[in-house]
Amino acid sequence: MTTVSILPISDANGERIYRAIAPDKQSTGRTAGEALDALTAQLEGDEFNALLLI
């Protein structure tokens, strides 16, 4: 099982974005869902049996 954390962060302009982090991959998005979608696109097949922590 892959553990995924999603954290709110500020970008260079001070706007809130979200970073989704797995042990060896990460992504960002304007929403938590967008960040998670970008991360799942990087994970292969069965690798995404995840526990999601927001």
Side-chain angles (χ1 to χ4, degrees):
M1 177 168 39
T2 300
T3 300
V4 175
S5 299
I6 300 179
L7 307 168
I9 60 172
S10 295
D11 67 8
N13 298 324
E15 294 182 32
R16 175 173 284 178
I17 60 172
Y18 294 86
R19 180 177 307 274
I21 304 168
D24 60 345
K25 295 174 178 61
Q26 60 180 321
S27 64
T28 58
R30 292 172 289 158
T31 65
E34 190 175 282
L36 181 60
D37 287 346
L39 182 64
T40 57
Q42 296 177 45
L43 299 174
E44 298 177 16
D46 293 337
E47 188 177 354
F48 194 67
N49 284 330
L51 170 62
L52 179 61
L53 304 172
I54 299 178

